[in-house]
Amino acid sequence: MRPTLCKGLCRSHYTQFALYKKKHGSPSGWDARATPFTQSGRCLVPTCELLVLCVRGLCRYHQPKFKAHRRTEPTASIEQWAQRQIPCLAAHQFSLAGLHQPLRQEVLYGLQQADPWLRVFDPCHVRRLARDLADTLTLTGDVPDSAICPRSTTDVLRLLDRVRTEVKAGHARHVGLAPAAHEVLDLKELGLRARTPAAIRYPKTVDLRHIRQRWLREILQTWTLQQSPDTDTFTRTLRGVELASAALARRPATDDPSVLGYDDVTAIVEAFRTAPKLDGQPAGGSYRSAIATSFFALIDYSRRSGTAPNLSAAFVRDSLAHRIRVREPDEDESGKAIPEPVIRQLDAHLGLLGQGSKVNGRRALPAADLQLMYRTLYILLRDTGRRPNEIVSLPRDCLETRGDQISLVWNNHKARRMRRRLPITADTAQAIRTWQHRRTDLETELPPAGAGHLFPALTPLAADPHLYTGYLGQTLRHWVDSIPHLYGEGTGPDGRPPDFDRSLIYPYAFRHSYAQRHADAGTPLDVLRELMDHKSISTTQRYYTVSLQRKREAVTKLAAHVVDQHGRPSPCSETTYELRSVAVPYGGCTEPSNVKAGGSSCPIRFQCAGCGFYRPDPSYLPAIEQHINELRADRESATAMGAADFVTTALTAQIAAFTQVADRMRRRLAALPAAERADIEEASTILRKARAGTTHTLLPLTPAPRTSPS
């Protein structure tokens, strides 16, 4: 019986039927004229399901192949040739029938072991691999992959490398050799799982022969074999062992672990403190601290497991003397924040975000769904200020509504504080709900391990059940680079806005932008501390800190707009502004004794509105306006209380004086060109933020009573 093509007919009969219908205009009468084919049997090629269509006993697929073979070997036997051929395969199938034994079993075993590690299992690559291995006898030899399959593409060679690694590891275990017993470790053979996709695709071989102390090599080999760490942890530990080996090599008798002591640990820690990165660049404190932690964790493991029974008890790290301090960020750390004008430009090009996004060279979801997911991630980064890892690991039910307030439920993994709540806007919540709805429709296309996450992993082989932060960073970088023009703040020498440095836009920078946005808006320090979920308020103060350069520029602009207590212009130099004045609640004070005392010795009890040394500037306008409203409220309260006339008179005089100062400053600003007025407003914002983040306490509105001399 031949395979059915259409209308219950095989290919040959359907062709005859179509020709008959075209010639006679009607199919009636064709059944009586049709002649059925007799049973012809299966093709001579083993497992080939096609029927024989020629006298040689071959199907329509193998018949032309045998004809081509007979042109080069006229005396070839059809039976022998057929035994080495693979059957006719569909697109999703492959066959190893054409390979020699035991190569066929080796490839089958290698594919079975490599399948959990492969991001994509493509049958086409396996078919090409089987074709190129037709003349090979075994994969356990030392012949390079490129020599075994010289015609193969990069994808096929990568598959061959993975299969050969599994075959060699299985062969070593069969003959009783442990992979870690060698001084050259193949991380693939050891099954070390990498957290980063690039390391999974391109694992490396590590040579331990440059580690001079044999006992160090042995504990590293044993720890690797027994613990099977991920490649990131292994890399940090290996770096620590290399540095420790070099440090110990400069000291006597380091090959004997029983004589090591406190001074040897000190020498190793000093090597960690001065260690550069692998590329030779200076390393930060976090990098060095991570190396030290990994190395001494290896030493502790060797003691617990008995791997190094002769290791001296004095070879112990001191928690205080051997600490590697992490350098605190300097004052210019606030420059990491992305300026708000740049964020507005990013919002204008939001339609480009996520275009062409792929996971390891393949598209994990439809293009529209990937764009929606990354757009939601960007909105959360921009509007919530959470760390990238906190965003990608959000729970699926991350919204909580109480009355009119919507909160984002998130986990602070860094401080191990879970189920935190952050107030968000309705627009941000709507973006989350839109993705949640689409996320439900994609349930069958996503790995089940990420069912509880808002942004699940896109492949079943991901190290974490949620989206990998590297994909977010790569997509954000691709998007930023695809934007035609991105301008920074201010103007360049040619009068045009300068190009913004695109390398400053990365996921974590939006956390700085969130904090700076609130600091610029005057959010109290304790409130911002709660929003950022900082344990120490000193950490939050860094976001209020303005770089020295920006502060100097702001002082230069505002020094020319200082007024006196009557609102008349009283410009001063930068030196006078910063060194000969002290901050008071609603301006600056130039009274010498008060400046010398740091603002704590005002001769007239801080009645600034009537003082000849009062020097406000436009940066104090919001505070002056707020104080005027407070004075008016105090005057109404005094009148209702029946206070004496001098009380209400004094309050009225202060209101008039402050109002005069504020009105004159506003009129002067209104008369300035728009560009200069914008510069003054920006400088005022910078100085207000600098004053808000300083640890210096502003002068009190009500002074403490003076004690009488004894």
Side-chain angles (χ1 to χ4, degrees):
M1 173 180 258
R2 297 191 174 193
T4 301
L5 176 66
C6 183
K7 295 183 180 298
L9 303 175
C10 67
R11 181 183 299 274
S12 300
H13 282 121
Y14 182 76
T15 303
Q16 296 176 10
F17 170 77
L19 292 175
Y20 181 88
K21 182 179 178 181
K22 181 178 180 181
K23 180 177 180 180
H24 298 86
S26 173
S28 60
W30 179 81
D31 295 343
R33 301 184 57 180
T35 303
F37 292 106
T38 58
Q39 184 68 22
S40 55
R42 300 291 180 181
C43 179
L44 290 176
V45 176
T47 69
C48 183
E49 298 294 333
L50 299 184
L51 298 178
V52 174
L53 297 181
C54 67
V55 296
R56 291 191 177 98
L58 299 177
C59 63
R60 66 175 182 273
Y61 174 77
H62 290 101
Q63 170 66 10
K65 289 182 174 293
F66 180 69
K67 285 184 178 180
H69 180 69
R70 288 291 292 269
R71 295 192 189 101
T72 57
E73 296 186 20
T75 61
S77 171
I78 188 172
E79 290 78 9
Q80 295 179 356
W81 177 87
Q83 295 302 314
R84 291 290 309 277
Q85 301 304 306
I86 61 175
C88 182
L89 303 173
H92 64 284
Q93 296 176 324
F94 65 88
S95 174
L96 305 179
L99 302 180
H100 295 283
Q101 289 288 4
L103 178 63
R104 186 184 308 170
Q105 300 300 325
E106 291 178 354
V107 174
L108 180 60
Y109 171 81
L111 290 173
Q112 291 172 342
Q113 298 300 316
D115 182 45
W117 292 86
L118 298 175
R119 291 279 167 168
V120 179
F121 190 93
D122 193 341
C124 294
H125 295 162
V126 183
R127 287 202 297 270
R128 294 168 187 163
L129 177 63
R131 177 201 63 191
D132 296 341
L133 291 176
D135 298 328
T136 305
L137 299 179
T138 180
L139 296 178
T140 58
D142 296 329
V143 182
D145 294 346
S146 57
I148 294 178
C149 299
R151 297 183 301 164
S152 297
T153 61
T154 302
D155 292 333
V156 176
L157 287 176
R158 189 176 300 151
L159 176 62
L160 174 61
D161 177 65
R162 182 75 251 182
V163 170
R164 289 193 74 186
T165 298
E166 298 296 342
V167 171
K168 288 182 177 180
H171 182 265
R173 288 191 293 269
H174 177 70
V175 298
L177 296 177
H182 305 289
E183 292 185 336
V184 179
L185 300 183
D186 191 328
L187 303 188
K188 297 178 295 183
E189 292 186 16
L190 297 175
L192 267 62
R193 183 72 177 270
R195 298 183 61 84
T196 57
I200 292 176
R201 294 175 60 188
Y202 307 105
K204 56 187 178 181
T205 300
V206 178
D207 190 349
L208 302 182
R209 287 174 291 187
H210 64 284
I211 300 175
R212 305 179 188 181
Q213 294 76 19
R214 182 174 181 82
W215 64 273
L216 266 179
R217 291 198 301 269
E218 291 177 350
I219 63 174
L220 180 61
Q221 290 170 337
T222 305
W223 171 76
T224 304
L225 182 61
Q226 294 180 356
Q227 297 298 312
S228 296
D230 59 67
T231 53
D232 295 337
T233 304
F234 177 82
T235 302
R236 288 194 302 269
T237 306
L238 176 63
R239 178 62 172 160
V241 170
E242 292 172 342
L243 293 172
S245 175
L248 290 176
R250 294 188 289 269
R251 299 183 59 81
T254 57
D255 289 335
D256 186 2
S258 62
V259 301
L260 298 177
Y262 184 87
D263 293 339
D264 298 302
V265 179
T266 303
I268 292 174
V269 172
E270 287 300 323
F272 291 158
R273 287 172 177 165
T274 59
K277 293 182 179 179
L278 293 176
D279 57 2
Q281 298 296 322
S286 299
Y287 175 80
R288 294 167 178 167
S289 179
I291 290 176
T293 301
S294 300
F295 173 76
F296 287 107
L298 174 65
I299 298 299
D300 293 340
Y301 171 80
S302 67
R303 296 182 190 276
R304 295 193 306 269
S305 62
T307 307
N310 297 327
L311 187 60
S312 172
F315 191 72
V316 179
R317 180 187 187 185
D318 187 283
S319 59
L320 295 178
H322 296 151
R323 179 185 302 174
I324 297 180
R325 300 186 180 276
V326 178
R327 182 182 63 85
E328 297 293 338
D330 56 22
E331 190 176 6
D332 288 326
E333 284 290 308
S334 60
K336 291 183 177 181
I338 305 173
E340 291 300 315
V342 177
I343 292 181
R344 288 194 289 270
Q345 296 177 64
L346 294 177
D347 294 342
H349 295 86
L350 199 55
L352 301 176
L353 177 58
Q355 289 187 1
S357 298
K358 296 181 180 180
V359 178
N360 285 340
R362 71 182 185 92
R363 195 179 299 279
L365 290 176
D369 296 327
L370 280 175
Q371 285 186 268
L372 177 60
M373 182 185 70
Y374 284 115
R375 190 179 303 120
T376 309
L377 285 164
Y378 165 75
I379 293 174
L380 285 169
L381 285 173
R382 180 196 65 191
D383 296 350
T384 66
R386 302 309 92 184
R387 301 177 182 90
N389 187 49
E390 295 165 353
I391 294 294
V392 298
S393 62
L394 282 173
R396 193 166 178 175
D397 54 342
C398 61
L399 292 180
E400 182 179 271
T401 304
R402 293 184 179 179
D404 296 335
Q405 179 60 56
I406 306 175
S407 298
L408 179 73
V409 180
W410 60 285
N411 297 321
N412 187 341
H413 300 289
K414 182 178 181 179
R416 296 180 178 86
R417 295 194 291 267
M418 304 302 164
R419 301 291 295 178
R420 313 297 289 175
R421 284 162 178 79
L422 176 75
I424 59 175
T425 63
D427 292 339
T428 306
Q430 183 57 41
I432 296 175
R433 291 193 182 101
T434 302
W435 169 245
Q436 283 177 332
H437 179 72
R438 184 57 188 155
R439 163 84 172 76
T440 303
D441 297 338
L442 297 173
E443 195 69 34
T444 58
E445 302 183 30
L446 295 169
H453 292 276
L454 182 62
F455 303 103
L458 300 180
T459 64
L461 299 179
D464 297 313
H466 55 74
L467 184 72
Y468 173 56
T469 54
Y471 293 147
L472 175 59
Q474 294 168 9
T475 303
L476 188 66
R477 171 59 46 213
H478 177 76
W479 171 48
V480 171
D481 293 340
S482 68
I483 297 177
H485 303 288
L486 204 58
Y487 300 110
E489 297 178 293
T491 56
D494 56 354
R496 298 179 180 180
D499 292 334
F500 186 75
D501 186 0
R502 302 178 188 232
S503 65
L504 300 178
I505 303 177
Y506 51 92
Y508 204 97
F510 289 96
R511 178 170 174 83
H512 294 274
S513 301
Y514 175 84
Q516 295 288 19
R517 189 183 308 129
H518 281 277
D520 293 344
T523 302
L525 188 60
D526 57 338
V527 176
L528 183 57
R529 171 178 169 269
E530 293 294 330
L531 292 175
M532 300 297 290
D533 200 37
H534 287 152
K535 184 177 181 180
S536 173
I537 200 170
S538 61
T539 305
T540 312
Q541 283 180 328
R542 298 172 189 164
Y543 292 100
Y544 283 85
T545 304
V546 185
S547 66
L548 293 175
Q549 180 180 359
R550 293 187 68 191
K551 185 177 179 181
R552 283 194 294 268
E553 293 174 353
V555 168
T556 302
K557 294 176 182 177
L558 289 179
H561 296 273
V562 175
V563 299
D564 59 13
Q565 79 273 22
H566 302 294
R568 295 189 293 262
S570 181
C572 62
S573 65
E574 300 174 33
T575 303
T576 301
Y577 189 97
E578 292 216 81
L579 300 182
R580 297 184 182 178
S581 64
V582 65
V584 293
Y586 314 112
C589 178
T590 60
E591 201 282 321
S593 62
N594 195 30
V595 173
K596 184 177 181 180
S600 61
S601 179
C602 177
I604 61 172
R605 308 289 183 86
F606 309 106
Q607 300 181 68
C608 302
C611 178
F613 294 99
Y614 176 50
R615 296 293 184 269
D617 62 66
S619 68
Y620 289 94
L621 265 176
I624 294 174
E625 293 171 351
Q626 180 181 357
H627 187 50
I628 292 173
N629 294 332
E630 293 173 351
L631 289 173
R632 287 171 178 166
D634 292 343
R635 185 177 60 180
E636 294 299 325
S637 299
T639 303
M641 295 168 57
D645 292 341
F646 72 86
V647 176
T648 56
T649 301
L651 290 172
T652 301
Q654 291 190 61
I655 292 172
F658 278 119
T659 302
Q660 181 183 27
V661 170
D663 289 344
R664 289 189 175 182
M665 278 197 292
R666 289 196 203 94
R667 286 197 295 270
R668 290 194 64 199
L669 290 175
L672 296 175
E676 186 176 353
R677 187 166 59 252
D679 290 342
I680 295 299
E681 292 175 355
E682 180 185 2
S684 300
T685 301
I686 292 173
L687 288 186
R688 282 197 296 271
K689 183 170 60 175
R691 290 194 292 265
T694 183
T695 55
H696 171 67
T697 304
L698 294 179
L699 301 182
L701 297 181
T702 305
R706 294 183 178 179
T707 57
S708 58
S710 56

